[in-house]
Amino acid sequence: MTALSSQRPASQETSSVELEIVELTPALRAFARRFLRSEDDIDDLVQETLLKALNSIQLYHPGTSLKSWLFTILRNTFCSNYRRRKREPVGMDVTMEQVSVAPSQEWALRERELRQAMTRLSDDRRRALTLVAAGTSYEDAARICGCRIGTLKSRVSRARETLHSLLGNQLID
């Protein structure tokens, strides 16, 4: 019998917390606007937050800030949903990823111009630029070219300047 009487005040306490949660719903909506713009998305986020809060109401410690507890749940819910959307795109995101676009004629012309300009570079500058552009570290590229890192960086810089002067701003969009 003592177990039943000890459960009763907890349920009364829970119902007062539930009422307080309902009173804090406008504050949750205002906080959700910091993360989202669409009213529908805000409603969904607040609803999901309220559901999580009510399902885990036993984890709330009376005497602590209920508002902070709810805001934490809302923020964590938003972050989880954001990460999930990044991982699992839906709708237009998936459609856009599946659409393949053939390279335009303009890019083919730019590539040809770049190749022609590369042939005008000295062999040491072309090799240095090609290695660095391919992702080789400066240390490894210097070792391959048989020079010091400073010399390699100078060659790359001069090669870029030469390409820039030969091509102008054609490669920069």
Side-chain angles (χ1 to χ4, degrees), residues 57-138:
I57 195 80
Q58 71 281 1
L59 298 176
Y60 172 70
H61 302 291
T64 60
S65 174
L66 180 62
K67 186 175 182 179
S68 295
W69 186 67
L70 290 171
F71 279 20
T72 302
I73 293 172
L74 186 137
R75 186 192 68 235
N76 291 343
T77 302
F78 171 78
C79 291
S80 296
N81 290 345
Y82 179 80
R83 283 190 296 271
R84 186 180 314 114
R85 278 193 307 271
K86 292 295 253 184
R87 227 181 18 251
E88 305 164 2
V90 293
M92 283 301 289
D93 295 337
V94 173
T95 305
M96 293 306 290
E97 287 177 7
Q98 292 173 349
V99 173
S100 64
V101 178
S104 67
Q105 181 68 22
E106 181 181 355
W107 282 108
L109 290 174
R110 286 185 178 185
E111 180 187 7
R112 187 177 314 140
E113 291 170 356
L114 178 62
R115 287 182 186 274
Q116 289 173 351
M118 290 285 287
T119 62
R120 294 178 143 183
L121 297 175
S122 63
D123 290 338
D124 58 342
R125 289 181 184 175
R126 180 176 45 252
R127 187 172 188 200
L129 181 64
T130 304
L131 286 169
V132 171
T136 307
S137 69
Y138 280 104

Side-chain angles (χ1 to χ4, degrees), residues 104 106-108 110-111 113 164 167-173:
S104 67
E106 181 181 355
W107 282 108
R110 286 185 178 185
E111 180 187 7
E113 291 170 356
H164 185 69
L167 299 172
N169 288 332
Q170 295 174 8
L171 294 179
I172 301 172
D173 278 321

